[in-house]
Amino acid sequence: LVHILEKAIKDAKTFPHLSMRVIWTPLGPLNVTVWAQINHVYMPQSTANIAPPSSVDLRISDAVITLAGVWKFREAAWPHLEDYGTIDMKVSGVNIGLTVDVGMDDEGKPHVKSHGCSFSEDKIKVEYHGKMSDIYFYNLFNHATASAVKAALNDQLCPLISRELNGDINSILSSLDLTTNIDSFCYIN
């Protein structure tokens, strides 16, 4: 299950663009837009516990998700200064928890349904790269960007995980052949 979750998060790739308005800068209010993709997921610790009657509680701890992308800003007021560049983000201390109910569908094939998904993270590190030489200026966006990334992950990861488990996994499970012939007269289902 952990490998499937890791693949699902990697395959999600693109976040919707993140738009923010940063009020307190030396230039005045700025409109900042970030486009990012997930480029690496690392899940070093996981536990799966049987939860009666037929569920599995899955917990992922201390995972790391890295994202890369591009950004731009435009000053809200005249003279409308602009800049753009690349961005690297690292989300560490990611914790994901969910419960997976295991059962059978109407045809007697294995079936899973996930619920109770939770997501949290400890730290989001943001690094802007761009034309302006004053890196301190870019750091003014870090908090707003980290907050937007946190909100996007909270909004998207649990539904993504549920879609992957409840859809793709079940389509694989429904295609399994669960009968085995013992001889020409008998089979086990």
Side-chain angles (χ1 to χ4, degrees), residues 68-155:
V70 295
W71 65 272
K72 73 173 186 173
F73 83 76
R74 179 180 165 103
E75 187 180 16
W78 189 85
H80 301 296
L81 296 175
E82 295 180 321
D83 196 9
Y84 59 91
T86 60
I87 188 169
D88 296 308
M89 294 174 276
K90 180 179 180 180
V91 184
S92 57
V94 173
N95 298 300
I96 301 170
L98 72 146
T99 300
V100 179
D101 293 334
V102 180
M104 295 181 152
D105 65 11
D106 295 338
E107 298 175 6
K109 303 265 182 168
H111 181 80
V112 297
K113 180 171 174 54
S114 67
H115 60 88
C117 184
S118 62
F119 168 85
S120 66
E121 87 298 320
D122 289 335
K123 183 178 179 183
I124 300 177
K125 181 181 177 187
V126 178
E127 290 182 14
Y128 281 93
H129 313 281
K131 295 186 299 184
M132 289 189 176
S133 60
D134 188 1
I135 298 301
Y136 171 75
F137 180 73
Y138 295 140
N139 290 336
L140 296 172
F141 313 153
N142 283 358
H143 182 70
T145 304
S147 295
V149 168
K150 179 180 180 174
L153 287 171
N154 275 315
D155 290 346

Coordinates of all heavy atoms in Angstrom, one line a residue, residues 68-155:
A68 N 9.4 21.4 -7.5 CA 10.1 22.4 -8.3 C 9.2 23.1 -9.3 O 8.2 22.5 -9.7 CB 11.3 21.7 -9.0
G69 N 9.5 24.3 -9.6 CA 8.6 25.0 -10.5 C 9.1 26.4 -10.9 O 10.3 26.7 -10.8
V70 N 8.2 27.2 -11.3 CA 8.5 28.6 -11.7 C 7.6 29.5 -11.0 O 6.5 29.1 -10.5 CB 8.4 28.8 -13.3 CG1 9.4 27.9 -14.0 CG2 7.0 28.4 -13.8
W71 N 8.0 30.8 -10.9 CA 7.2 31.8 -10.2 C 7.4 33.1 -11.0 O 8.3 33.3 -11.8 CB 7.7 31.9 -8.8 CG 9.1 32.4 -8.7 CD1 10.2 31.7 -8.7 CD2 9.5 33.8 -8.6 NE1 11.3 32.5 -8.6 CE2 10.9 33.8 -8.5 CE3 8.8 35.0 -8.5 CZ2 11.6 35.0 -8.4 CZ3 9.5 36.2 -8.4 CH2 10.9 36.2 -8.4
K72 N 6.4 34.0 -10.7 CA 6.6 35.4 -11.1 C 5.9 36.3 -10.1 O 5.0 35.9 -9.4 CB 6.0 35.6 -12.5 CG 4.5 35.5 -12.6 CD 4.0 35.9 -14.0 CE 2.5 36.0 -14.0 NZ 1.9 36.4 -15.2
F73 N 6.3 37.5 -10.1 CA 5.6 38.5 -9.3 C 5.4 39.8 -10.2 O 6.2 40.0 -11.1 CB 6.3 38.8 -8.0 CG 7.4 39.8 -8.0 CD1 7.1 41.2 -8.2 CD2 8.7 39.4 -7.9 CE1 8.1 42.1 -8.2 CE2 9.7 40.3 -7.9 CZ 9.5 41.7 -8.1
R74 N 4.4 40.5 -9.8 CA 4.1 41.8 -10.4 C 3.7 42.7 -9.3 O 2.8 42.4 -8.5 CB 3.0 41.7 -11.5 CG 2.7 43.0 -12.2 CD 1.6 42.7 -13.2 NE 1.0 44.0 -13.6 CZ 1.3 44.6 -14.7 NH1 2.1 44.1 -15.6 NH2 0.7 45.8 -15.0
E75 N 4.3 43.9 -9.3 CA 3.9 44.9 -8.4 C 2.5 45.3 -8.6 O 2.1 45.5 -9.8 CB 4.9 46.1 -8.5 CG 4.7 47.2 -7.4 CD 5.7 48.3 -7.6 OE1 6.2 48.5 -8.7 OE2 5.8 49.1 -6.7
A76 N 1.7 45.4 -7.6 CA 0.3 45.7 -7.7 C 0.0 47.2 -8.2 O -0.9 47.4 -8.9 CB -0.5 45.5 -6.4
A77 N 0.9 48.1 -7.9 CA 0.7 49.5 -8.3 C 1.8 49.9 -9.3 O 2.8 49.2 -9.5 CB 0.8 50.4 -7.0
W78 N 1.6 51.1 -9.9 CA 2.5 51.6 -10.8 C 3.9 51.8 -10.2 O 3.9 52.1 -9.0 CB 2.0 53.0 -11.4 CG 2.8 53.5 -12.5 CD1 2.6 53.2 -13.8 CD2 3.9 54.4 -12.4 NE1 3.6 53.9 -14.5 CE2 4.4 54.6 -13.7 CE3 4.5 55.1 -11.4 CZ2 5.4 55.5 -14.0 CZ3 5.6 55.9 -11.6 CH2 6.0 56.1 -12.9
P79 N 5.0 51.5 -10.7 CA 5.2 51.2 -12.2 C 5.1 49.7 -12.6 O 5.6 49.3 -13.6 CB 6.7 51.7 -12.3 CG 7.3 51.4 -11.0 CD 6.3 51.6 -10.0
H80 N 4.5 48.9 -11.8 CA 4.3 47.5 -12.1 C 5.6 46.7 -12.4 O 5.7 46.1 -13.4 CB 3.3 47.3 -13.3 CG 2.0 47.9 -13.0 ND1 1.1 47.5 -12.0 CD2 1.3 49.0 -13.6 CE1 0.0 48.2 -12.0 NE2 0.1 49.1 -12.9
L81 N 6.5 46.8 -11.5 CA 7.8 46.0 -11.6 C 7.4 44.5 -11.6 O 6.5 44.1 -11.0 CB 8.7 46.3 -10.4 CG 9.2 47.7 -10.3 CD1 10.1 47.9 -9.1 CD2 10.1 48.1 -11.6
E82 N 8.2 43.8 -12.4 CA 8.0 42.3 -12.5 C 9.3 41.6 -12.3 O 10.3 42.1 -12.7 CB 7.4 42.0 -13.9 CG 6.0 42.5 -14.1 CD 5.4 42.1 -15.4 OE1 6.2 42.1 -16.4 OE2 4.2 41.8 -15.5
D83 N 9.2 40.4 -11.9 CA 10.4 39.5 -11.9 C 9.8 38.1 -12.0 O 8.6 37.8 -11.7 CB 11.2 39.7 -10.7 CG 12.6 39.1 -10.8 OD1 13.0 38.6 -11.9 OD2 13.3 39.0 -9.8
Y84 N 10.7 37.1 -12.3 CA 10.3 35.7 -12.4 C 11.6 34.9 -12.2 O 12.7 35.4 -12.2 CB 9.7 35.4 -13.8 CG 10.6 35.7 -14.9 CD1 11.5 34.7 -15.4 CD2 10.7 37.0 -15.5 CE1 12.4 35.0 -16.5 CE2 11.6 37.3 -16.5 CZ 12.4 36.3 -17.0 OH 13.3 36.6 -18.0
G85 N 11.3 33.6 -12.0 CA 12.5 32.7 -11.8 C 12.0 31.3 -11.5 O 10.9 30.9 -11.8
T86 N 12.9 30.5 -10.9 CA 12.5 29.2 -10.5 C 12.4 29.1 -9.0 O 12.8 30.0 -8.3 CB 13.6 28.2 -11.0 OG1 14.8 28.5 -10.4 CG2 13.7 28.2 -12.5
I87 N 11.7 28.0 -8.6 CA 11.5 27.8 -7.2 C 11.7 26.3 -6.8 O 11.4 25.4 -7.6 CB 10.1 28.3 -6.8 CG1 9.9 28.2 -5.3 CG2 9.0 27.5 -7.5 CD1 8.6 28.9 -4.8
D88 N 12.3 26.1 -5.7 CA 12.4 24.7 -5.1 C 11.8 24.7 -3.7 O 12.0 25.6 -2.9 CB 13.9 24.4 -5.0 CG 14.6 24.3 -6.3 OD1 14.1 23.6 -7.2 OD2 15.7 24.9 -6.5
M89 N 11.0 23.7 -3.5 CA 10.4 23.6 -2.2 C 10.6 22.1 -1.6 O 10.6 21.2 -2.4 CB 8.9 23.8 -2.3 CG 8.6 25.3 -2.7 SD 6.9 25.6 -3.0 CE 6.7 25.1 -4.7
K90 N 10.7 22.1 -0.3 CA 10.9 20.8 0.4 C 9.9 20.8 1.5 O 10.0 21.6 2.4 CB 12.3 20.6 0.9 CG 12.6 19.3 1.6 CD 14.0 19.2 2.0 CE 14.3 17.9 2.7 NZ 15.7 17.8 3.1
V91 N 9.0 19.8 1.5 CA 8.0 19.6 2.6 C 8.5 18.4 3.4 O 8.6 17.3 2.9 CB 6.6 19.3 2.0 CG1 5.6 19.3 3.1 CG2 6.2 20.4 1.0
S92 N 8.9 18.6 4.6 CA 9.5 17.6 5.5 C 8.6 17.3 6.7 O 7.7 18.1 7.0 CB 10.9 17.9 5.9 OG 10.9 19.1 6.6
G93 N 8.8 16.1 7.3 CA 8.0 15.7 8.4 C 6.5 15.5 8.0 O 5.6 15.7 8.8
V94 N 6.3 15.0 6.8 CA 5.0 14.7 6.4 C 4.4 13.4 7.1 O 5.1 12.4 7.1 CB 4.9 14.5 4.8 CG1 3.6 14.1 4.4 CG2 5.4 15.8 4.1
N95 N 3.2 13.5 7.6 CA 2.6 12.4 8.2 C 1.2 12.2 7.6 O 0.4 13.2 7.4 CB 2.4 12.7 9.7 CG 3.7 12.8 10.4 OD1 4.5 11.9 10.4 ND2 3.9 14.0 11.0
I96 N 0.9 11.0 7.1 CA -0.3 10.7 6.5 C -0.9 9.5 7.2 O -0.2 8.5 7.5 CB -0.1 10.3 5.0 CG1 0.5 11.5 4.3 CG2 -1.4 9.9 4.3 CD1 1.0 11.1 2.9
G97 N -2.2 9.6 7.5 CA -2.9 8.5 8.2 C -4.2 8.2 7.5 O -4.8 9.1 7.0
L98 N -4.5 6.9 7.3 CA -5.8 6.6 6.8 C -6.2 5.2 7.2 O -5.4 4.4 7.6 CB -5.9 6.7 5.2 CG -5.1 5.7 4.4 CD1 -5.8 5.5 3.1 CD2 -3.7 6.2 4.1
T99 N -7.5 4.9 7.0 CA -8.0 3.5 7.3 C -8.5 2.9 6.0 O -9.1 3.6 5.2 CB -9.2 3.6 8.3 OG1 -8.7 4.2 9.5 CG2 -9.7 2.2 8.6
V100 N -8.1 1.7 5.7 CA -8.6 1.0 4.5 C -9.4 -0.2 4.9 O -9.0 -1.1 5.7 CB -7.3 0.5 3.7 CG1 -7.8 -0.2 2.5 CG2 -6.4 1.7 3.4
D101 N -10.7 -0.2 4.5 CA -11.6 -1.3 4.8 C -11.4 -2.3 3.7 O -11.4 -2.0 2.5 CB -13.1 -0.8 4.8 CG -13.4 0.1 6.0 OD1 -12.7 0.0 7.0 OD2 -14.3 0.9 5.9
V102 N -11.2 -3.6 4.0 CA -11.0 -4.6 3.1 C -12.3 -5.5 3.1 O -12.7 -5.9 4.2 CB -9.8 -5.5 3.5 CG1 -9.5 -6.6 2.4 CG2 -8.5 -4.5 3.6
G103 N -12.8 -5.8 1.9 CA -13.9 -6.7 1.8 C -14.1 -7.3 0.5 O -13.1 -7.5 -0.2
M104 N -15.3 -7.6 0.1 CA -15.5 -8.3 -1.2 C -16.6 -7.5 -1.9 O -17.5 -6.9 -1.3 CB -16.0 -9.7 -1.1 CG -15.0 -10.6 -0.5 SD -15.7 -12.2 -0.4 CE -14.3 -13.3 -0.6
D105 N -16.5 -7.4 -3.3 CA -17.6 -6.8 -4.0 C -18.7 -7.8 -4.3 O -18.7 -8.9 -3.8 CB -17.0 -6.2 -5.3 CG -16.5 -7.2 -6.3 OD1 -16.7 -8.4 -6.1 OD2 -15.8 -6.8 -7.3
D106 N -19.7 -7.4 -5.1 CA -20.8 -8.3 -5.4 C -20.5 -9.6 -6.1 O -21.2 -10.6 -6.1 CB -21.9 -7.5 -6.3 CG -22.5 -6.4 -5.5 OD1 -22.4 -6.4 -4.2 OD2 -23.0 -5.4 -6.1
E107 N -19.3 -9.6 -6.8 CA -18.9 -10.8 -7.5 C -17.9 -11.6 -6.7 O -17.4 -12.6 -7.2 CB -18.2 -10.4 -8.8 CG -19.1 -9.6 -9.8 CD -18.4 -9.1 -11.0 OE1 -17.2 -9.4 -11.2 OE2 -19.0 -8.4 -11.8
G108 N -17.7 -11.3 -5.5 CA -16.8 -12.0 -4.6 C -15.3 -11.7 -4.8 O -14.5 -12.4 -4.3
K109 N -15.0 -10.6 -5.5 CA -13.6 -10.2 -5.7 C -13.2 -9.3 -4.5 O -14.1 -8.6 -3.9 CB -13.5 -9.4 -7.0 CG -13.9 -10.2 -8.2 CD -12.8 -10.9 -8.8 CE -13.3 -11.6 -10.1 NZ -12.2 -12.1 -10.9
P110 N -11.9 -9.2 -4.2 CA -11.5 -8.3 -3.1 C -11.8 -6.9 -3.5 O -11.8 -6.5 -4.7 CB -9.9 -8.5 -3.1 CG -9.7 -9.8 -3.8 CD -10.8 -10.0 -4.8
H111 N -12.1 -6.1 -2.5 CA -12.5 -4.7 -2.7 C -11.9 -3.9 -1.5 O -12.0 -4.4 -0.3 CB -14.0 -4.6 -2.7 CG -14.5 -3.2 -3.0 ND1 -14.5 -2.6 -4.2 CD2 -15.0 -2.3 -2.1 CE1 -15.0 -1.4 -4.1 NE2 -15.3 -1.2 -2.8
V112 N -11.4 -2.7 -1.7 CA -10.9 -1.8 -0.6 C -11.6 -0.5 -0.7 O -12.1 0.0 -1.8 CB -9.4 -1.6 -0.7 CG1 -8.7 -2.9 -0.4 CG2 -9.0 -1.0 -1.9
K113 N -11.8 0.1 0.4 CA -12.3 1.5 0.5 C -11.6 2.2 1.6 O -11.5 1.8 2.7 CB -13.8 1.5 0.8 CG -14.5 2.8 0.9 CD -16.0 2.7 1.0 CE -16.6 4.0 1.2 NZ -16.4 5.1 0.3
S114 N -11.0 3.4 1.2 CA -10.3 4.2 2.2 C -11.2 5.3 2.8 O -12.1 5.8 2.1 CB -9.0 4.8 1.6 OG -9.4 5.7 0.6
H115 N -10.9 5.6 4.0 CA -11.6 6.8 4.7 C -10.7 7.3 5.8 O -9.7 6.6 6.2 CB -13.0 6.3 5.2 CG -13.0 5.2 6.1 ND1 -12.9 5.4 7.5 CD2 -13.0 3.9 5.9 CE1 -12.9 4.2 8.1 NE2 -13.0 3.3 7.2
G116 N -11.1 8.4 6.4 CA -10.4 8.9 7.6 C -9.0 9.4 7.3 O -8.1 9.3 8.1
C117 N -8.8 9.9 6.1 CA -7.4 10.4 5.7 C -7.1 11.6 6.5 O -7.9 12.5 6.6 CB -7.3 10.6 4.2 SG -5.7 11.1 3.6
S118 N -5.8 11.7 7.0 CA -5.3 12.9 7.6 C -3.9 13.2 7.1 O -3.2 12.3 6.7 CB -5.3 12.8 9.1 OG -4.4 11.7 9.5
F119 N -3.6 14.5 7.0 CA -2.3 14.9 6.5 C -1.7 16.1 7.4 O -2.5 16.9 7.8 CB -2.4 15.5 5.1 CG -1.2 16.2 4.6 CD1 -0.2 15.5 4.0 CD2 -1.1 17.6 4.7 CE1 0.9 16.2 3.6 CE2 0.0 18.3 4.2 CZ 1.0 17.6 3.7
S120 N -0.4 16.0 7.7 CA 0.2 17.1 8.4 C 1.7 17.1 8.0 O 2.2 16.2 7.4 CB 0.1 16.9 9.9 OG 0.8 15.8 10.3
E121 N 2.3 18.3 8.2 CA 3.7 18.4 7.9 C 4.4 19.3 8.9 O 3.7 20.0 9.6 CB 3.9 19.0 6.5 CG 3.9 20.5 6.4 CD 2.6 21.2 6.8 OE1 1.6 20.7 6.5 OE2 2.7 22.2 7.5
D122 N 5.7 19.1 9.1 CA 6.4 19.9 10.1 C 7.0 21.2 9.5 O 7.0 22.2 10.2 CB 7.6 19.0 10.7 CG 7.0 17.9 11.6 OD1 5.9 18.1 12.1 OD2 7.7 16.9 11.8
K123 N 7.5 21.1 8.3 CA 8.3 22.2 7.8 C 8.2 22.3 6.3 O 8.2 21.3 5.6 CB 9.7 22.1 8.2 CG 10.6 23.3 7.8 CD 12.0 23.1 8.3 CE 12.9 24.2 7.9 NZ 14.3 24.1 8.3
I124 N 8.1 23.5 5.8 CA 8.1 23.7 4.3 C 9.2 24.7 4.1 O 9.2 25.9 4.5 CB 6.8 24.2 3.8 CG1 5.7 23.2 4.0 CG2 6.9 24.5 2.3 CD1 4.3 23.7 3.6
K125 N 10.3 24.3 3.3 CA 11.4 25.2 3.0 C 11.2 25.6 1.6 O 11.0 24.8 0.7 CB 12.7 24.4 3.1 CG 13.9 25.2 2.8 CD 15.2 24.4 3.0 CE 16.4 25.3 2.6 NZ 17.6 24.4 2.5
V126 N 11.3 26.9 1.3 CA 11.1 27.5 0.0 C 12.4 28.3 -0.4 O 12.9 29.1 0.4 CB 9.9 28.5 0.0 CG1 9.7 29.1 -1.3 CG2 8.6 27.8 0.5
E127 N 12.8 28.0 -1.6 CA 14.0 28.7 -2.2 C 13.6 29.3 -3.5 O 13.3 28.6 -4.4 CB 15.2 27.8 -2.3 CG 15.8 27.4 -1.0 CD 17.0 26.5 -1.3 OE1 17.6 26.4 -2.4 OE2 17.5 25.8 -0.3
Y128 N 13.6 30.6 -3.6 CA 13.4 31.3 -4.8 C 14.7 31.6 -5.5 O 15.7 31.9 -4.9 CB 12.7 32.7 -4.6 CG 11.3 32.6 -4.3 CD1 10.8 32.5 -3.0 CD2 10.4 32.7 -5.3 CE1 9.4 32.5 -2.8 CE2 9.0 32.6 -5.1 CZ 8.5 32.5 -3.8 OH 7.2 32.4 -3.6
H129 N 14.7 31.5 -6.9 CA 15.9 31.9 -7.7 C 15.3 32.8 -8.8 O 14.4 32.5 -9.4 CB 16.5 30.6 -8.3 CG 16.7 29.5 -7.3 ND1 17.7 29.5 -6.4 CD2 16.0 28.4 -7.1 CE1 17.6 28.4 -5.7 NE2 16.6 27.7 -6.0
G130 N 16.0 33.9 -9.0 CA 15.5 34.9 -10.0 C 16.6 35.9 -10.4 O 17.8 35.8 -10.0
K131 N 16.2 36.9 -11.2 CA 17.1 37.9 -11.7 C 17.6 38.9 -10.7 O 18.7 39.3 -10.7 CB 16.4 38.7 -12.8 CG 16.0 37.9 -14.0 CD 15.5 38.7 -15.2 CE 14.2 39.4 -14.7 NZ 13.6 40.2 -15.8
M132 N 16.7 39.3 -9.8 CA 17.1 40.3 -8.8 C 18.2 39.7 -7.9 O 18.2 38.6 -7.4 CB 16.0 40.8 -7.9 CG 15.0 41.6 -8.7 SD 13.8 42.3 -7.5 CE 12.9 43.3 -8.6
S133 N 19.2 40.5 -7.6 CA 20.4 40.0 -6.9 C 20.1 40.0 -5.4 O 20.8 39.3 -4.7 CB 21.6 40.9 -7.2 OG 21.3 42.2 -6.8
D134 N 19.1 40.6 -4.9 CA 18.9 40.7 -3.4 C 18.0 39.5 -3.0 O 16.8 39.6 -3.1 CB 18.2 42.0 -3.1 CG 18.1 42.2 -1.6 OD1 18.6 41.3 -0.8 OD2 17.6 43.2 -1.1
I135 N 18.6 38.4 -2.6 CA 17.9 37.2 -2.2 C 16.9 37.5 -1.0 O 15.9 37.0 -0.9 CB 18.8 36.1 -1.9 CG1 19.7 35.7 -3.1 CG2 18.1 34.9 -1.4 CD1 18.8 35.3 -4.3
Y136 N 17.4 38.5 -0.1 CA 16.5 38.8 1.0 C 15.1 39.2 0.5 O 14.1 38.9 1.1 CB 17.1 39.9 1.8 CG 16.2 40.5 2.9 CD1 16.0 39.8 4.0 CD2 15.5 41.7 2.7 CE1 15.1 40.2 5.0 CE2 14.6 42.1 3.6 CZ 14.4 41.4 4.8 OH 13.5 41.9 5.7
F137 N 15.1 39.9 -0.6 CA 13.8 40.4 -1.2 C 12.9 39.1 -1.4 O 11.7 39.2 -1.1 CB 14.0 41.2 -2.4 CG 12.8 41.7 -3.0 CD1 12.0 42.7 -2.5 CD2 12.3 41.1 -4.2 CE1 10.9 43.2 -3.0 CE2 11.1 41.5 -4.8 CZ 10.4 42.6 -4.2
Y138 N 13.4 38.1 -2.0 CA 12.6 36.9 -2.3 C 12.1 36.2 -1.0 O 11.1 35.6 -1.0 CB 13.4 35.9 -3.1 CG 13.8 36.3 -4.5 CD1 15.1 36.0 -5.0 CD2 12.9 37.1 -5.2 CE1 15.4 36.4 -6.2 CE2 13.3 37.5 -6.5 CZ 14.6 37.2 -7.0 OH 14.9 37.6 -8.2
N139 N 12.9 36.3 0.1 CA 12.5 35.7 1.3 C 11.2 36.3 1.9 O 10.6 35.7 2.7 CB 13.6 35.8 2.4 CG 14.8 34.9 2.0 OD1 14.6 33.9 1.3 ND2 15.9 35.3 2.5
L140 N 10.8 37.5 1.4 CA 9.6 38.1 1.8 C 8.4 37.3 1.4 O 7.3 37.4 2.0 CB 9.5 39.5 1.3 CG 10.5 40.5 1.8 CD1 10.4 41.8 1.0 CD2 10.4 40.7 3.3
F141 N 8.5 36.4 0.4 CA 7.4 35.6 -0.1 C 7.4 34.3 0.5 O 6.4 33.5 0.4 CB 7.6 35.3 -1.6 CG 7.9 36.5 -2.5 CD1 8.5 36.3 -3.7 CD2 7.5 37.8 -2.2 CE1 8.8 37.3 -4.5 CE2 7.8 38.8 -3.0 CZ 8.5 38.6 -4.2
N142 N 8.4 33.9 1.3 CA 8.5 32.5 1.8 C 7.3 32.1 2.6 O 6.8 31.0 2.4 CB 9.8 32.3 2.5 CG 11.0 32.1 1.7 OD1 10.9 32.2 0.4 ND2 12.2 32.0 2.3
H143 N 6.9 32.9 3.6 CA 5.8 32.5 4.4 C 4.5 32.4 3.6 O 3.8 31.4 3.8 CB 5.7 33.5 5.6 CG 4.6 33.1 6.5 ND1 4.7 32.1 7.4 CD2 3.4 33.7 6.7 CE1 3.6 32.0 8.1 NE2 2.8 32.9 7.7
A144 N 4.3 33.3 2.8 CA 3.0 33.2 2.0 C 3.0 32.0 1.1 O 2.0 31.3 0.9 CB 2.9 34.5 1.1
T145 N 4.2 31.7 0.5 CA 4.3 30.5 -0.4 C 4.1 29.3 0.4 O 3.4 28.3 0.0 CB 5.7 30.5 -1.1 OG1 5.8 31.8 -1.8 CG2 5.7 29.4 -2.1
A146 N 4.8 29.2 1.5 CA 4.7 28.0 2.4 C 3.2 27.7 2.8 O 2.7 26.6 2.8 CB 5.6 28.1 3.6
S147 N 2.5 28.8 3.2 CA 1.1 28.7 3.6 C 0.3 28.2 2.4 O -0.6 27.4 2.6 CB 0.6 30.0 4.1 OG 1.3 30.4 5.3
A148 N 0.5 28.7 1.2 CA -0.3 28.3 0.0 C 0.0 26.8 -0.3 O -0.9 26.1 -0.7 CB 0.1 29.2 -1.2
V149 N 1.3 26.4 -0.2 CA 1.6 25.0 -0.5 C 1.0 24.1 0.5 O 0.4 23.0 0.2 CB 3.2 24.8 -0.6 CG1 3.6 23.4 -0.6 CG2 3.8 25.5 -1.8
K150 N 1.0 24.5 1.8 CA 0.4 23.7 2.8 C -1.1 23.5 2.6 O -1.6 22.4 2.7 CB 0.6 24.4 4.2 CG 0.0 23.6 5.3 CD 0.3 24.3 6.6 CE -0.4 23.6 7.8 NZ 0.0 24.2 9.1
A151 N -1.7 24.6 2.2 CA -3.2 24.5 1.9 C -3.5 23.6 0.7 O -4.4 22.8 0.7 CB -3.7 25.9 1.7
A152 N -2.6 23.8 -0.3 CA -2.8 22.9 -1.5 C -2.6 21.4 -1.2 O -3.4 20.6 -1.6 CB -1.9 23.4 -2.6
L153 N -1.6 21.1 -0.4 CA -1.4 19.7 0.0 C -2.5 19.2 0.8 O -3.0 18.1 0.6 CB 0.0 19.6 0.7 CG 1.2 19.7 -0.1 CD1 2.5 19.8 0.8 CD2 1.4 18.6 -1.1
N154 N -3.0 20.0 1.8 CA -4.1 19.6 2.6 C -5.4 19.4 1.8 O -6.1 18.4 2.0 CB -4.4 20.7 3.7 CG -3.5 20.5 4.9 OD1 -3.4 19.4 5.4 ND2 -3.0 21.6 5.4
D155 N -5.6 20.2 0.8 CA -6.8 20.1 -0.1 C -6.7 18.9 -1.0 O -7.7 18.4 -1.4 CB -7.0 21.4 -0.8 CG -7.5 22.5 0.0 OD1 -7.8 22.3 1.2 OD2 -7.4 23.7 -0.4

